[in-house]
Amino acid sequence: MTTEDRNPSIDPAENNAFFPSPYSLSQYTAPKTDFDGVIAKDAYKGDKKVLVIGTEERYMLMQNGKFFSTGNHPVESLLPMHHILEAGFEIEVATLTGAPVKFEWWAFPHEDEAVTSAWAKLEEQMKAPKRLADIELNDDYLGVLIPGGHGAMLNLPESKDVQAVLDWALNNDKLMISLCHGPAAFLAAGYERESNPLAGYKMCVFPDSLDAGANIEIGYLPGKMPWALGEALKAQGIEIVNDTMSGATHRDRNLLTGDSPLASNALGKMAVEALLEKVA
C-alpha cells in the first residue's frame, strides 16, 4: 500500500467499513499542525469552564451501504482546547450517553506538542465523559465547543439534549464554538420546531462540494454521504460564508466557527479572545 493508493482502507472492526485512503491521508494529515503559540498564557485565574460535546459515534452509513469509520477529528478537537486550557479555562467533556468520545485516530498529529499536551490533560475525560443530560447548565460555563469530524453529523443534529444546550447558550449570552462538520449539531436548535433560532446567523463549515466530489475521488470517503451538511444548514436559514477549505474562521455574535482542520489554530485563538471578553 503506497501513498498513491486512492482506495479507502479497510477497517477490520466492522463489516464493509473503511478508513480514508493512504493518498487522501497524505494530503489531509500531517505529523504537526500550524500551531504557533498561545496568545494569552494563564491570562485567566478563575474556575469558569467550556462544555465540550463530543461524538460517541464511529460509523457513518453512506448511500452505497458502506461505512465510513469516523468520529471527532483530533486536531479540530484538541488544538482549540489547548488554547482554551493554556489561557486558564477549564474543559468539561460530555457525550449524549456518557460513552467515550470517538476519534479519527488516523489524523492524530503525533509530533505536535500542542495537540499531544491537550490529549494528555483530557484523555481521562474523553474516555469517561459526562452524560450530556446530566450537565447542570449554569454560569460556571462560558459556552459550548462542538468539535468537527464527520462523526458530529451522527445523532447530535436530532438530540433534544443538544437543543437544550443551544437554547441555554442563546438565552444566556454564552459562546457557541464549532468547526468543519461540527456545525451539524446546530441543526438540533431547529429539531422538531417550525424554525431554527440560529436562522440568520452566518458561519463557516466544511464545503459540501468537497464531500460530494474530491473527498470521494481521492478515497477519503468510501461513498456519497447520507446527507449534505451545508445544504441542511441553509435549509434552516443559516448562511454559509465560505465555499472552499482555506482555514477560514468567522464570528457572528456569540457564534464562532471555522471551515476545516486548517482553521483549528485560528479558531482556538478566537475562542480565547471571546472567552476573555466574557470574564473581563
mmCIF file with all atom_site columns, all heavy atoms in Angstrom, residues 210-230:
data_model
loop_
_atom_site.group_PDB
_atom_site.id
_atom_site.type_symbol
_atom_site.label_atom_id
_atom_site.label_alt_id
_atom_site.label_comp_id
_atom_site.label_asym_id
_atom_site.label_entity_id
_atom_site.label_seq_id
_atom_site.pdbx_PDB_ins_code
_atom_site.Cartn_x
_atom_site.Cartn_y
_atom_site.Cartn_z
_atom_site.occupancy
_atom_site.B_iso_or_equiv
_atom_site.pdbx_formal_charge
_atom_site.auth_seq_id
_atom_site.auth_comp_id
_atom_site.auth_asym_id
_atom_site.auth_atom_id
_atom_site.pdbx_PDB_model_num
ATOM 1   N N   . LEU A 1 210 ? -16.723 19.555 -1.577 1.00 0.00 ? 210 LEU A N   1
ATOM 2   C CA  . LEU A 1 210 ? -15.588 18.650 -1.365 1.00 0.00 ? 210 LEU A CA  1
ATOM 3   C C   . LEU A 1 210 ? -16.060 17.262 -0.941 1.00 0.00 ? 210 LEU A C   1
ATOM 4   O O   . LEU A 1 210 ? -15.535 16.248 -1.392 1.00 0.00 ? 210 LEU A O   1
ATOM 5   C CB  . LEU A 1 210 ? -14.628 19.223 -0.324 1.00 0.00 ? 210 LEU A CB  1
ATOM 6   C CG  . LEU A 1 210 ? -13.753 20.386 -0.783 1.00 0.00 ? 210 LEU A CG  1
ATOM 7   C CD1 . LEU A 1 210 ? -12.865 20.873 0.356  1.00 0.00 ? 210 LEU A CD1 1
ATOM 8   C CD2 . LEU A 1 210 ? -12.874 19.981 -1.972 1.00 0.00 ? 210 LEU A CD2 1
ATOM 9   N N   . ASP A 1 211 ? -17.055 17.217 -0.042 1.00 0.00 ? 211 ASP A N   1
ATOM 10  C CA  . ASP A 1 211 ? -17.562 15.913 0.392  1.00 0.00 ? 211 ASP A CA  1
ATOM 11  C C   . ASP A 1 211 ? -18.218 15.158 -0.755 1.00 0.00 ? 211 ASP A C   1
ATOM 12  O O   . ASP A 1 211 ? -18.151 13.930 -0.819 1.00 0.00 ? 211 ASP A O   1
ATOM 13  C CB  . ASP A 1 211 ? -18.573 16.090 1.533  1.00 0.00 ? 211 ASP A CB  1
ATOM 14  C CG  . ASP A 1 211 ? -17.903 16.133 2.906  1.00 0.00 ? 211 ASP A CG  1
ATOM 15  O OD1 . ASP A 1 211 ? -16.812 15.542 3.045  1.00 0.00 ? 211 ASP A OD1 1
ATOM 16  O OD2 . ASP A 1 211 ? -18.469 16.748 3.823  1.00 0.00 ? 211 ASP A OD2 1
ATOM 17  N N   . ALA A 1 212 ? -18.858 15.894 -1.660 1.00 0.00 ? 212 ALA A N   1
ATOM 18  C CA  . ALA A 1 212 ? -19.558 15.248 -2.771 1.00 0.00 ? 212 ALA A CA  1
ATOM 19  C C   . ALA A 1 212 ? -18.637 14.962 -3.954 1.00 0.00 ? 212 ALA A C   1
ATOM 20  O O   . ALA A 1 212 ? -18.985 14.170 -4.837 1.00 0.00 ? 212 ALA A O   1
ATOM 21  C CB  . ALA A 1 212 ? -20.721 16.121 -3.232 1.00 0.00 ? 212 ALA A CB  1
ATOM 22  N N   . GLY A 1 213 ? -17.472 15.600 -3.972 1.00 0.00 ? 213 GLY A N   1
ATOM 23  C CA  . GLY A 1 213 ? -16.575 15.462 -5.111 1.00 0.00 ? 213 GLY A CA  1
ATOM 24  C C   . GLY A 1 213 ? -15.218 14.909 -4.757 1.00 0.00 ? 213 GLY A C   1
ATOM 25  O O   . GLY A 1 213 ? -15.003 13.689 -4.733 1.00 0.00 ? 213 GLY A O   1
ATOM 26  N N   . ALA A 1 214 ? -14.280 15.807 -4.445 1.00 0.00 ? 214 ALA A N   1
ATOM 27  C CA  . ALA A 1 214 ? -12.882 15.411 -4.243 1.00 0.00 ? 214 ALA A CA  1
ATOM 28  C C   . ALA A 1 214 ? -12.709 14.373 -3.145 1.00 0.00 ? 214 ALA A C   1
ATOM 29  O O   . ALA A 1 214 ? -11.875 13.464 -3.261 1.00 0.00 ? 214 ALA A O   1
ATOM 30  C CB  . ALA A 1 214 ? -12.043 16.647 -3.927 1.00 0.00 ? 214 ALA A CB  1
ATOM 31  N N   . ASN A 1 215 ? -13.475 14.466 -2.058 1.00 0.00 ? 215 ASN A N   1
ATOM 32  C CA  . ASN A 1 215 ? -13.287 13.521 -0.963 1.00 0.00 ? 215 ASN A CA  1
ATOM 33  C C   . ASN A 1 215 ? -13.636 12.088 -1.361 1.00 0.00 ? 215 ASN A C   1
ATOM 34  O O   . ASN A 1 215 ? -13.106 11.130 -0.783 1.00 0.00 ? 215 ASN A O   1
ATOM 35  C CB  . ASN A 1 215 ? -14.108 13.946 0.256  1.00 0.00 ? 215 ASN A CB  1
ATOM 36  C CG  . ASN A 1 215 ? -13.411 15.005 1.082  1.00 0.00 ? 215 ASN A CG  1
ATOM 37  O OD1 . ASN A 1 215 ? -12.309 15.426 0.747  1.00 0.00 ? 215 ASN A OD1 1
ATOM 38  N ND2 . ASN A 1 215 ? -14.041 15.440 2.155  1.00 0.00 ? 215 ASN A ND2 1
ATOM 39  N N   . ILE A 1 216 ? -14.528 11.942 -2.315 1.00 0.00 ? 216 ILE A N   1
ATOM 40  C CA  . ILE A 1 216 ? -14.834 10.608 -2.839 1.00 0.00 ? 216 ILE A CA  1
ATOM 41  C C   . ILE A 1 216 ? -13.789 10.199 -3.869 1.00 0.00 ? 216 ILE A C   1
ATOM 42  O O   . ILE A 1 216 ? -13.293 9.064  -3.866 1.00 0.00 ? 216 ILE A O   1
ATOM 43  C CB  . ILE A 1 216 ? -16.244 10.576 -3.448 1.00 0.00 ? 216 ILE A CB  1
ATOM 44  C CG1 . ILE A 1 216 ? -17.297 10.873 -2.370 1.00 0.00 ? 216 ILE A CG1 1
ATOM 45  C CG2 . ILE A 1 216 ? -16.520 9.225  -4.097 1.00 0.00 ? 216 ILE A CG2 1
ATOM 46  C CD1 . ILE A 1 216 ? -18.709 11.018 -2.905 1.00 0.00 ? 216 ILE A CD1 1
ATOM 47  N N   . GLU A 1 217 ? -13.394 11.151 -4.706 1.00 0.00 ? 217 GLU A N   1
ATOM 48  C CA  . GLU A 1 217 ? -12.443 10.860 -5.788 1.00 0.00 ? 217 GLU A CA  1
ATOM 49  C C   . GLU A 1 217 ? -11.080 10.419 -5.245 1.00 0.00 ? 217 GLU A C   1
ATOM 50  O O   . GLU A 1 217 ? -10.439 9.542  -5.826 1.00 0.00 ? 217 GLU A O   1
ATOM 51  C CB  . GLU A 1 217 ? -12.286 12.098 -6.668 1.00 0.00 ? 217 GLU A CB  1
ATOM 52  C CG  . GLU A 1 217 ? -13.544 12.457 -7.443 1.00 0.00 ? 217 GLU A CG  1
ATOM 53  C CD  . GLU A 1 217 ? -13.520 13.876 -7.982 1.00 0.00 ? 217 GLU A CD  1
ATOM 54  O OE1 . GLU A 1 217 ? -12.451 14.526 -7.906 1.00 0.00 ? 217 GLU A OE1 1
ATOM 55  O OE2 . GLU A 1 217 ? -14.559 14.349 -8.477 1.00 0.00 ? 217 GLU A OE2 1
ATOM 56  N N   . ILE A 1 218 ? -10.637 11.005 -4.152 1.00 0.00 ? 218 ILE A N   1
ATOM 57  C CA  . ILE A 1 218 ? -9.323  10.655 -3.602 1.00 0.00 ? 218 ILE A CA  1
ATOM 58  C C   . ILE A 1 218 ? -9.407  9.551  -2.547 1.00 0.00 ? 218 ILE A C   1
ATOM 59  O O   . ILE A 1 218 ? -8.396  9.172  -1.958 1.00 0.00 ? 218 ILE A O   1
ATOM 60  C CB  . ILE A 1 218 ? -8.590  11.883 -3.022 1.00 0.00 ? 218 ILE A CB  1
ATOM 61  C CG1 . ILE A 1 218 ? -9.319  12.440 -1.789 1.00 0.00 ? 218 ILE A CG1 1
ATOM 62  C CG2 . ILE A 1 218 ? -8.410  12.950 -4.087 1.00 0.00 ? 218 ILE A CG2 1
ATOM 63  C CD1 . ILE A 1 218 ? -8.564  13.577 -1.097 1.00 0.00 ? 218 ILE A CD1 1
ATOM 64  N N   . GLY A 1 219 ? -10.620 9.053  -2.316 1.00 0.00 ? 219 GLY A N   1
ATOM 65  C CA  . GLY A 1 219 ? -10.783 7.931  -1.397 1.00 0.00 ? 219 GLY A CA  1
ATOM 66  C C   . GLY A 1 219 ? -10.813 8.310  0.071  1.00 0.00 ? 219 GLY A C   1
ATOM 67  O O   . GLY A 1 219 ? -10.661 7.450  0.927  1.00 0.00 ? 219 GLY A O   1
ATOM 68  N N   . TYR A 1 220 ? -11.026 9.585  0.371  1.00 0.00 ? 220 TYR A N   1
ATOM 69  C CA  . TYR A 1 220 ? -11.176 9.965  1.783  1.00 0.00 ? 220 TYR A CA  1
ATOM 70  C C   . TYR A 1 220 ? -12.479 9.389  2.325  1.00 0.00 ? 220 TYR A C   1
ATOM 71  O O   . TYR A 1 220 ? -12.527 8.878  3.449  1.00 0.00 ? 220 TYR A O   1
ATOM 72  C CB  . TYR A 1 220 ? -11.169 11.488 1.921  1.00 0.00 ? 220 TYR A CB  1
ATOM 73  C CG  . TYR A 1 220 ? -11.175 11.973 3.352  1.00 0.00 ? 220 TYR A CG  1
ATOM 74  C CD1 . TYR A 1 220 ? -9.994  12.075 4.070  1.00 0.00 ? 220 TYR A CD1 1
ATOM 75  C CD2 . TYR A 1 220 ? -12.371 12.339 3.982  1.00 0.00 ? 220 TYR A CD2 1
ATOM 76  C CE1 . TYR A 1 220 ? -9.991  12.523 5.389  1.00 0.00 ? 220 TYR A CE1 1
ATOM 77  C CE2 . TYR A 1 220 ? -12.379 12.787 5.290  1.00 0.00 ? 220 TYR A CE2 1
ATOM 78  C CZ  . TYR A 1 220 ? -11.186 12.872 5.990  1.00 0.00 ? 220 TYR A CZ  1
ATOM 79  O OH  . TYR A 1 220 ? -11.202 13.309 7.294  1.00 0.00 ? 220 TYR A OH  1
ATOM 80  N N   . LEU A 1 221 ? -13.530 9.463  1.518  1.00 0.00 ? 221 LEU A N   1
ATOM 81  C CA  . LEU A 1 221 ? -14.816 8.870  1.859  1.00 0.00 ? 221 LEU A CA  1
ATOM 82  C C   . LEU A 1 221 ? -15.043 7.647  0.975  1.00 0.00 ? 221 LEU A C   1
ATOM 83  O O   . LEU A 1 221 ? -14.664 7.644  -0.195 1.00 0.00 ? 221 LEU A O   1
ATOM 84  C CB  . LEU A 1 221 ? -15.947 9.873  1.629  1.00 0.00 ? 221 LEU A CB  1
ATOM 85  C CG  . LEU A 1 221 ? -15.935 11.160 2.456  1.00 0.00 ? 221 LEU A CG  1
ATOM 86  C CD1 . LEU A 1 221 ? -17.069 12.085 2.014  1.00 0.00 ? 221 LEU A CD1 1
ATOM 87  C CD2 . LEU A 1 221 ? -16.048 10.860 3.944  1.00 0.00 ? 221 LEU A CD2 1
ATOM 88  N N   . PRO A 1 222 ? -15.699 6.598  1.516  1.00 0.00 ? 222 PRO A N   1
ATOM 89  C CA  . PRO A 1 222 ? -15.945 5.398  0.713  1.00 0.00 ? 222 PRO A CA  1
ATOM 90  C C   . PRO A 1 222 ? -17.208 5.471  -0.125 1.00 0.00 ? 222 PRO A C   1
ATOM 91  O O   . PRO A 1 222 ? -17.595 4.478  -0.757 1.00 0.00 ? 222 PRO A O   1
ATOM 92  C CB  . PRO A 1 222 ? -16.078 4.304  1.774  1.00 0.00 ? 222 PRO A CB  1
ATOM 93  C CG  . PRO A 1 222 ? -16.666 5.006  2.950  1.00 0.00 ? 222 PRO A CG  1
ATOM 94  C CD  . PRO A 1 222 ? -16.067 6.386  2.937  1.00 0.00 ? 222 PRO A CD  1
ATOM 95  N N   . GLY A 1 223 ? -17.855 6.630  -0.155 1.00 0.00 ? 223 GLY A N   1
ATOM 96  C CA  . GLY A 1 223 ? -19.066 6.791  -0.943 1.00 0.00 ? 223 GLY A CA  1
ATOM 97  C C   . GLY A 1 223 ? -19.733 8.113  -0.631 1.00 0.00 ? 223 GLY A C   1
ATOM 98  O O   . GLY A 1 223 ? -19.210 8.927  0.146  1.00 0.00 ? 223 GLY A O   1
ATOM 99  N N   . LYS A 1 224 ? -20.891 8.319  -1.219 1.00 0.00 ? 224 LYS A N   1
ATOM 100 C CA  . LYS A 1 224 ? -21.638 9.556  -1.007 1.00 0.00 ? 224 LYS A CA  1
ATOM 101 C C   . LYS A 1 224 ? -22.250 9.568  0.387  1.00 0.00 ? 224 LYS A C   1
ATOM 102 O O   . LYS A 1 224 ? -22.815 8.574  0.846  1.00 0.00 ? 224 LYS A O   1
ATOM 103 C CB  . LYS A 1 224 ? -22.717 9.686  -2.072 1.00 0.00 ? 224 LYS A CB  1
ATOM 104 C CG  . LYS A 1 224 ? -23.372 11.061 -2.129 1.00 0.00 ? 224 LYS A CG  1
ATOM 105 C CD  . LYS A 1 224 ? -24.330 11.166 -3.310 1.00 0.00 ? 224 LYS A CD  1
ATOM 106 C CE  . LYS A 1 224 ? -24.951 12.561 -3.376 1.00 0.00 ? 224 LYS A CE  1
ATOM 107 N NZ  . LYS A 1 224 ? -25.900 12.680 -4.520 1.00 0.00 ? 224 LYS A NZ  1
ATOM 108 N N   . MET A 1 225 ? -22.153 10.701 1.072  1.00 0.00 ? 225 MET A N   1
ATOM 109 C CA  . MET A 1 225 ? -22.643 10.811 2.435  1.00 0.00 ? 225 MET A CA  1
ATOM 110 C C   . MET A 1 225 ? -24.171 10.721 2.472  1.00 0.00 ? 225 MET A C   1
ATOM 111 O O   . MET A 1 225 ? -24.838 10.978 1.484  1.00 0.00 ? 225 MET A O   1
ATOM 112 C CB  . MET A 1 225 ? -22.180 12.120 3.066  1.00 0.00 ? 225 MET A CB  1
ATOM 113 C CG  . MET A 1 225 ? -20.679 12.166 3.228  1.00 0.00 ? 225 MET A CG  1
ATOM 114 S SD  . MET A 1 225 ? -20.060 13.477 4.302  1.00 0.00 ? 225 MET A SD  1
ATOM 115 C CE  . MET A 1 225 ? -21.321 14.705 4.305  1.00 0.00 ? 225 MET A CE  1
ATOM 116 N N   . PRO A 1 226 ? -24.734 10.378 3.637  1.00 0.00 ? 226 PRO A N   1
ATOM 117 C CA  . PRO A 1 226 ? -26.194 10.246 3.728  1.00 0.00 ? 226 PRO A CA  1
ATOM 118 C C   . PRO A 1 226 ? -26.935 11.556 3.518  1.00 0.00 ? 226 PRO A C   1
ATOM 119 O O   . PRO A 1 226 ? -28.074 11.556 3.043  1.00 0.00 ? 226 PRO A O   1
ATOM 120 C CB  . PRO A 1 226 ? -26.415 9.699  5.148  1.00 0.00 ? 226 PRO A CB  1
ATOM 121 C CG  . PRO A 1 226 ? -25.163 10.035 5.893  1.00 0.00 ? 226 PRO A CG  1
ATOM 122 C CD  . PRO A 1 226 ? -24.061 9.971  4.881  1.00 0.00 ? 226 PRO A CD  1
ATOM 123 N N   . TRP A 1 227 ? -26.312 12.670 3.864  1.00 0.00 ? 227 TRP A N   1
ATOM 124 C CA  . TRP A 1 227 ? -26.913 13.993 3.629  1.00 0.00 ? 227 TRP A CA  1
ATOM 125 C C   . TRP A 1 227 ? -25.800 15.025 3.632  1.00 0.00 ? 227 TRP A C   1
ATOM 126 O O   . TRP A 1 227 ? -24.682 14.765 4.070  1.00 0.00 ? 227 TRP A O   1
ATOM 127 C CB  . TRP A 1 227 ? -27.987 14.326 4.673  1.00 0.00 ? 227 TRP A CB  1
ATOM 128 C CG  . TRP A 1 227 ? -27.592 14.166 6.118  1.00 0.00 ? 227 TRP A CG  1
ATOM 129 C CD1 . TRP A 1 227 ? -27.581 13.013 6.856  1.00 0.00 ? 227 TRP A CD1 1
ATOM 130 C CD2 . TRP A 1 227 ? -27.151 15.198 7.013  1.00 0.00 ? 227 TRP A CD2 1
ATOM 131 N NE1 . TRP A 1 227 ? -27.156 13.259 8.142  1.00 0.00 ? 227 TRP A NE1 1
ATOM 132 C CE2 . TRP A 1 227 ? -26.899 14.581 8.276  1.00 0.00 ? 227 TRP A CE2 1
ATOM 133 C CE3 . TRP A 1 227 ? -26.962 16.576 6.881  1.00 0.00 ? 227 TRP A CE3 1
ATOM 134 C CZ2 . TRP A 1 227 ? -26.445 15.303 9.387  1.00 0.00 ? 227 TRP A CZ2 1
ATOM 135 C CZ3 . TRP A 1 227 ? -26.515 17.292 7.987  1.00 0.00 ? 227 TRP A CZ3 1
ATOM 136 C CH2 . TRP A 1 227 ? -26.266 16.659 9.218  1.00 0.00 ? 227 TRP A CH2 1
ATOM 137 N N   . ALA A 1 228 ? -26.121 16.200 3.081  1.00 0.00 ? 228 ALA A N   1
ATOM 138 C CA  . ALA A 1 228 ? -25.120 17.254 2.910  1.00 0.00 ? 228 ALA A CA  1
ATOM 139 C C   . ALA A 1 228 ? -25.269 18.297 4.020  1.00 0.00 ? 228 ALA A C   1
ATOM 140 O O   . ALA A 1 228 ? -26.351 18.862 4.212  1.00 0.00 ? 228 ALA A O   1
ATOM 141 C CB  . ALA A 1 228 ? -25.275 17.912 1.548  1.00 0.00 ? 228 ALA A CB  1
ATOM 142 N N   . LEU A 1 229 ? -24.191 18.558 4.714  1.00 0.00 ? 229 LEU A N   1
ATOM 143 C CA  . LEU A 1 229 ? -24.213 19.444 5.872  1.00 0.00 ? 229 LEU A CA  1
ATOM 144 C C   . LEU A 1 229 ? -24.630 20.870 5.524  1.00 0.00 ? 229 LEU A C   1
ATOM 145 O O   . LEU A 1 229 ? -25.555 21.425 6.126  1.00 0.00 ? 229 LEU A O   1
ATOM 146 C CB  . LEU A 1 229 ? -22.838 19.443 6.541  1.00 0.00 ? 229 LEU A CB  1
ATOM 147 C CG  . LEU A 1 229 ? -22.615 20.444 7.664  1.00 0.00 ? 229 LEU A CG  1
ATOM 148 C CD1 . LEU A 1 229 ? -23.626 20.246 8.783  1.00 0.00 ? 229 LEU A CD1 1
ATOM 149 C CD2 . LEU A 1 229 ? -21.187 20.353 8.182  1.00 0.00 ? 229 LEU A CD2 1
ATOM 150 N N   . GLY A 1 230 ? -23.927 21.488 4.591  1.00 0.00 ? 230 GLY A N   1
ATOM 151 C CA  . GLY A 1 230 ? -24.230 22.875 4.246  1.00 0.00 ? 230 GLY A CA  1
ATOM 152 C C   . GLY A 1 230 ? -25.642 23.045 3.739  1.00 0.00 ? 230 GLY A C   1
ATOM 153 O O   . GLY A 1 230 ? -26.340 24.004 4.094  1.00 0.00 ? 230 GLY A O   1
#
